[in-house]
Each structure stands twice: as structure tokens, then as C-alpha cells.
Amino acid sequence: MKQLRVDLHNHTVLCNHATGTTEDYIKRAIDLKIDIFGFSEHAPMNFDEKYRLKLQDKTFYENDVLSLKEKYKKDIKILLGYEVDYLKGDYILPEVIQSKVDYFIGSVHFINDGWGFDNPEFIGEYKNKDIDIIWQDYFEAIKAMVKTQKFDIVGHLDLIKVFKFLPNKDIKLIAQDALKQIKKANMVVEINSAGFRKPIGEQYPSKGLLELCFELDIPITFSSDAHSVDQVGLNYEKTTAIAKNIGYSKCTYFEQREKKEATF
Ligand SMILES: [Zn+2]
Ligand SMILES: [Zn+2]
């Protein structure tokens, strides 16, 4: 099995909250000797439209990534994906989920009827509800996302910790059902290094949840969730060290929605 450096979760300017050209992300990835580099733009949806790809830009995004994939194929393998939001209601667009992509990341950024809990603008909402209930609601949403069977990778599994508002209950107990569903659905969990740039100051998911993933034999992948060129590949060494410590030696990526394995 080949040893590869994989980074599957990266954004582009088209989501309106990222900077840098697609090509500059790729050049940075090549400099860092990343072997497999995937774009997973926030997919179009009729909710929170300001912070995501517009449906009318969808073809542009896909063609941009695919033409650069061809241009740089000798240096790096570029993959095309989407990060798709799951929230209660009928928000997943058929145009998105029918796209010919390498993979879909399923992410929960909204709970309790559209509360964007990871957005500093709405941080005040944490005061209005019991923190244990908020965490339970979040992992219920993760379970519902997994049960749709539409996605390949679970995005930032414990994003609800972003501002360091932690529950009183044992996190493993809150999350264990969701993890069993992830295993049953054959999904992959990403180790996302963006958390190092946030108040929580560590990767998603936590070491404890990753240990639970390992016990359940859930495959992992790596991602930097870059929203700027300097964030490409950031803290990769930290996340791989954590994964190795737990016992992982392989990571997974997808081509045309088919699982591939590599060592890391
Ligand atoms: Zn984003
Ligand atoms: Zn996300």
C-alpha cells in the first residue's frame, strides 16, 4: 500500500468566506507534497445562501477544479467534492446530490431550526439552552445526516465544541449512537485540523472520540478545511501523530465515490 498525504476538505472563494485562487491552493498543496488534494465547496442550498456556492456558479466550480486537475495531474491528484449541509427540512438540492463528484462530505452546521451554532454572530444562543441538550441535539442531527445515506465522509464530527462550551455528561456517551450509525452506514470520519485555529484549539474529532472510532473500526481521512492558501495542510503532522498514537495506519479517500486506501 502506498504512503500518501491526503487532504480532502478545502474551500474556494466561491463560498464567499474564503480567499485565494483555486490554483494557488493547488500550488501550495504541491509545495507541501500533498498527494491527494480535494476541494469540497459548501454546496448550494436555499438556506444561509450568503456563505456558500451559488447554484448558478456550480458548473463554474466543477469545471475550474476539473481543468486544474488535468493541468496539474503530473504533480498531484486533485479531487472534486462537496461539503453538504444537513439540517432538518428539505434542503438538499437534487442538483447537488446528483453531481458526478468523487465524494460528498456531510456536515452539520445548524441545529434547533436553523441556529448556526459555529458562527460567532450567534454565540449568544448558547446561553438559552442546557449545554447537555445542545450537544445531544447536535449528535441527533449527525445521526439523521448519516441515516440519509447520501454522504461518504462525516465532516468535523464534534464541531459543536468549537467555542469550548463542553457538556457535563460524558461526550463518548452522547456520541456513541451516532458513531454506531456511522459504522453501519460505512462512512469515513475526517480528522479535521481547522479546530486548531478555533477557540477549542484541537482537531475534530477529539482524541476520545477518535479512540471510539478506532474501536468501532471506522475508517479515517485527513483534512485541513482550508479557507485560505496559508491554511492548506496546516497542522497535518499533529493530526497524523494523534491518529498513529491511537493505532490508525491507513487513511481513506474517494474517487468517483469509490473508497481507496493508503498509508499515511
Ligand atoms: Zn466554510
Ligand atoms: Zn464545515
Side-chain angles (χ1 to χ4, degrees), residues 179-199:
L179 283 171
K180 282 178 194 157
Q181 291 294 337
I182 290 165
K183 173 64 188 168
K184 216 167 123 187
N186 237 337
M187 286 179 79
V188 171
V189 165
E190 66 166 4
I191 307 185
N192 181 319
S193 63
F196 285 108
R197 318 190 294 258
K198 299 290 161 73

mmCIF file of all heavy atoms in Angstrom, residues 179-199:
data_model
loop_
_atom_site.group_PDB
_atom_site.id
_atom_site.type_symbol
_atom_site.label_atom_id
_atom_site.label_comp_id
_atom_site.label_asym_id
_atom_site.label_seq_id
_atom_site.Cartn_x
_atom_site.Cartn_y
_atom_site.Cartn_z
ATOM 1 N N LEU A 179 -21.903 7.296 16.369
ATOM 2 C CA LEU A 179 -20.748 6.568 15.835
ATOM 3 C C LEU A 179 -21.146 5.178 15.333
ATOM 4 O O LEU A 179 -20.643 4.718 14.301
ATOM 5 C CB LEU A 179 -19.645 6.472 16.892
ATOM 6 C CG LEU A 179 -18.859 7.777 17.051
ATOM 7 C CD1 LEU A 179 -17.935 7.718 18.241
ATOM 8 C CD2 LEU A 179 -18.061 8.071 15.796
ATOM 9 N N LYS A 180 -22.050 4.529 16.054
ATOM 10 C CA LYS A 180 -22.520 3.213 15.595
ATOM 11 C C LYS A 180 -23.237 3.342 14.248
ATOM 12 O O LYS A 180 -23.088 2.491 13.373
ATOM 13 C CB LYS A 180 -23.442 2.585 16.649
ATOM 14 C CG LYS A 180 -22.675 1.993 17.817
ATOM 15 C CD LYS A 180 -23.623 1.425 18.859
ATOM 16 C CE LYS A 180 -22.869 1.154 20.166
ATOM 17 N NZ LYS A 180 -23.768 1.139 21.324
ATOM 18 N N GLN A 181 -24.011 4.406 14.096
ATOM 19 C CA GLN A 181 -24.697 4.648 12.812
ATOM 20 C C GLN A 181 -23.687 4.904 11.685
ATOM 21 O O GLN A 181 -23.861 4.458 10.562
ATOM 22 C CB GLN A 181 -25.631 5.864 12.923
ATOM 23 C CG GLN A 181 -26.832 5.647 13.816
ATOM 24 C CD GLN A 181 -27.803 4.609 13.255
ATOM 25 O OE1 GLN A 181 -27.827 4.355 12.055
ATOM 26 N NE2 GLN A 181 -28.570 4.005 14.137
ATOM 27 N N ILE A 182 -22.629 5.649 12.010
ATOM 28 C CA ILE A 182 -21.583 5.951 11.021
ATOM 29 C C ILE A 182 -20.935 4.655 10.541
ATOM 30 O O ILE A 182 -20.722 4.443 9.349
ATOM 31 C CB ILE A 182 -20.532 6.914 11.629
ATOM 32 C CG1 ILE A 182 -21.140 8.312 11.816
ATOM 33 C CG2 ILE A 182 -19.270 6.969 10.783
ATOM 34 C CD1 ILE A 182 -20.333 9.249 12.719
ATOM 35 N N LYS A 183 -20.668 3.765 11.503
ATOM 36 C CA LYS A 183 -20.077 2.466 11.153
ATOM 37 C C LYS A 183 -21.031 1.671 10.260
ATOM 38 O O LYS A 183 -20.632 1.129 9.227
ATOM 39 C CB LYS A 183 -19.766 1.689 12.447
ATOM 40 C CG LYS A 183 -19.307 0.269 12.240
ATOM 41 C CD LYS A 183 -17.982 0.219 11.493
ATOM 42 C CE LYS A 183 -17.603 -1.205 11.098
ATOM 43 N NZ LYS A 183 -16.481 -1.203 10.135
ATOM 44 N N LYS A 184 -22.289 1.634 10.660
ATOM 45 C CA LYS A 184 -23.304 0.886 9.926
ATOM 46 C C LYS A 184 -23.457 1.417 8.493
ATOM 47 O O LYS A 184 -23.682 0.650 7.552
ATOM 48 C CB LYS A 184 -24.641 1.013 10.668
ATOM 49 C CG LYS A 184 -25.492 -0.242 10.633
ATOM 50 C CD LYS A 184 -26.618 -0.128 11.646
ATOM 51 C CE LYS A 184 -27.965 -0.291 10.973
ATOM 52 N NZ LYS A 184 -29.084 -0.013 11.903
ATOM 53 N N ALA A 185 -23.344 2.723 8.351
ATOM 54 C CA ALA A 185 -23.510 3.363 7.042
ATOM 55 C C ALA A 185 -22.227 3.319 6.217
ATOM 56 O O ALA A 185 -22.193 3.843 5.096
ATOM 57 C CB ALA A 185 -23.948 4.806 7.230
ATOM 58 N N ASN A 186 -21.159 2.711 6.802
ATOM 59 C CA ASN A 186 -19.920 2.575 6.043
ATOM 60 C C ASN A 186 -19.247 3.905 5.723
ATOM 61 O O ASN A 186 -18.592 4.036 4.696
ATOM 62 C CB ASN A 186 -20.238 1.883 4.717
ATOM 63 C CG ASN A 186 -19.413 0.644 4.557
ATOM 64 O OD1 ASN A 186 -18.350 0.512 5.177
ATOM 65 N ND2 ASN A 186 -19.886 -0.272 3.720
ATOM 66 N N MET A 187 -19.474 4.881 6.572
ATOM 67 C CA MET A 187 -18.893 6.203 6.305
ATOM 68 C C MET A 187 -17.503 6.347 6.911
ATOM 69 O O MET A 187 -17.089 5.563 7.752
ATOM 70 C CB MET A 187 -19.820 7.304 6.851
ATOM 71 C CG MET A 187 -21.069 7.500 6.017
ATOM 72 S SD MET A 187 -22.137 8.786 6.722
ATOM 73 C CE MET A 187 -21.308 10.284 6.182
ATOM 74 N N VAL A 188 -16.827 7.382 6.461
ATOM 75 C CA VAL A 188 -15.467 7.694 6.898
ATOM 76 C C VAL A 188 -15.527 8.961 7.749
ATOM 77 O O VAL A 188 -16.299 9.872 7.448
ATOM 78 C CB VAL A 188 -14.573 7.912 5.652
ATOM 79 C CG1 VAL A 188 -13.199 8.443 6.022
ATOM 80 C CG2 VAL A 188 -14.460 6.615 4.848
ATOM 81 N N VAL A 189 -14.716 9.019 8.793
ATOM 82 C CA VAL A 189 -14.634 10.221 9.640
ATOM 83 C C VAL A 189 -13.355 10.979 9.286
ATOM 84 O O VAL A 189 -12.287 10.388 9.211
ATOM 85 C CB VAL A 189 -14.653 9.825 11.130
ATOM 86 C CG1 VAL A 189 -14.201 10.978 12.021
ATOM 87 C CG2 VAL A 189 -16.052 9.360 11.540
ATOM 88 N N GLU A 190 -13.494 12.270 9.033
ATOM 89 C CA GLU A 190 -12.287 13.064 8.750
ATOM 90 C C GLU A 190 -11.666 13.552 10.056
ATOM 91 O O GLU A 190 -12.377 13.871 11.002
ATOM 92 C CB GLU A 190 -12.625 14.272 7.854
ATOM 93 C CG GLU A 190 -13.519 15.287 8.524
ATOM 94 C CD GLU A 190 -13.610 16.651 7.823
ATOM 95 O OE1 GLU A 190 -13.042 16.840 6.741
ATOM 96 O OE2 GLU A 190 -14.273 17.533 8.388
ATOM 97 N N ILE A 191 -10.346 13.587 10.073
ATOM 98 C CA ILE A 191 -9.657 14.293 11.157
ATOM 99 C C ILE A 191 -9.332 15.668 10.589
ATOM 100 O O ILE A 191 -8.512 15.807 9.683
ATOM 101 C CB ILE A 191 -8.399 13.556 11.640
ATOM 102 C CG1 ILE A 191 -8.747 12.096 11.993
ATOM 103 C CG2 ILE A 191 -7.816 14.279 12.857
ATOM 104 C CD1 ILE A 191 -7.597 11.329 12.598
ATOM 105 N N ASN A 192 -10.054 16.650 11.094
ATOM 106 C CA ASN A 192 -10.075 17.987 10.515
ATOM 107 C C ASN A 192 -9.247 18.915 11.406
ATOM 108 O O ASN A 192 -9.539 19.062 12.591
ATOM 109 C CB ASN A 192 -11.554 18.408 10.443
ATOM 110 C CG ASN A 192 -11.772 19.772 9.852
ATOM 111 O OD1 ASN A 192 -11.042 20.705 10.134
ATOM 112 N ND2 ASN A 192 -12.818 19.894 9.037
ATOM 113 N N SER A 193 -8.202 19.509 10.821
ATOM 114 C CA SER A 193 -7.275 20.298 11.644
ATOM 115 C C SER A 193 -7.723 21.747 11.823
ATOM 116 O O SER A 193 -7.034 22.525 12.485
ATOM 117 C CB SER A 193 -5.865 20.243 11.055
ATOM 118 O OG SER A 193 -5.860 20.824 9.770
ATOM 119 N N ALA A 194 -8.873 22.123 11.282
ATOM 120 C CA ALA A 194 -9.353 23.510 11.423
ATOM 121 C C ALA A 194 -9.590 23.877 12.883
ATOM 122 O O ALA A 194 -9.481 25.044 13.256
ATOM 123 C CB ALA A 194 -10.633 23.721 10.625
ATOM 124 N N GLY A 195 -9.908 22.877 13.713
ATOM 125 C CA GLY A 195 -10.160 23.148 15.134
ATOM 126 C C GLY A 195 -8.977 23.790 15.841
ATOM 127 O O GLY A 195 -9.149 24.533 16.809
ATOM 128 N N PHE A 196 -7.758 23.534 15.344
ATOM 129 C CA PHE A 196 -6.575 24.172 15.939
ATOM 130 C C PHE A 196 -6.615 25.691 15.772
ATOM 131 O O PHE A 196 -5.959 26.408 16.513
ATOM 132 C CB PHE A 196 -5.291 23.622 15.304
ATOM 133 C CG PHE A 196 -4.932 22.238 15.760
ATOM 134 C CD1 PHE A 196 -5.078 21.149 14.910
ATOM 135 C CD2 PHE A 196 -4.441 22.017 17.040
ATOM 136 C CE1 PHE A 196 -4.743 19.866 15.335
ATOM 137 C CE2 PHE A 196 -4.096 20.745 17.471
ATOM 138 C CZ PHE A 196 -4.253 19.662 16.605
ATOM 139 N N ARG A 197 -7.384 26.165 14.785
ATOM 140 C CA ARG A 197 -7.472 27.614 14.539
ATOM 141 C C ARG A 197 -8.644 28.250 15.285
ATOM 142 O O ARG A 197 -8.902 29.430 15.137
ATOM 143 C CB ARG A 197 -7.650 27.883 13.028
ATOM 144 C CG ARG A 197 -6.796 27.041 12.093
ATOM 145 C CD ARG A 197 -6.854 27.536 10.653
ATOM 146 N NE ARG A 197 -8.149 27.403 10.023
ATOM 147 C CZ ARG A 197 -8.467 26.448 9.154
ATOM 148 N NH1 ARG A 197 -7.593 25.500 8.830
ATOM 149 N NH2 ARG A 197 -9.661 26.428 8.597
ATOM 150 N N LYS A 198 -9.382 27.447 16.038
ATOM 151 C CA LYS A 198 -10.597 27.916 16.703
ATOM 152 C C LYS A 198 -10.407 27.914 18.232
ATOM 153 O O LYS A 198 -9.437 27.348 18.728
ATOM 154 C CB LYS A 198 -11.772 26.988 16.318
ATOM 155 C CG LYS A 198 -12.076 26.972 14.825
ATOM 156 C CD LYS A 198 -12.690 28.297 14.380
ATOM 157 C CE LYS A 198 -12.594 28.531 12.895
ATOM 158 N NZ LYS A 198 -13.483 27.729 12.101
ATOM 159 N N PRO A 199 -11.352 28.521 18.991
ATOM 160 C CA PRO A 199 -11.193 28.560 20.457
ATOM 161 C C PRO A 199 -10.902 27.191 21.090
ATOM 162 O O PRO A 199 -10.131 27.114 22.053
ATOM 163 C CB PRO A 199 -12.544 29.111 20.933
ATOM 164 C CG PRO A 199 -13.013 29.976 19.804
ATOM 165 C CD PRO A 199 -12.537 29.282 18.548
#
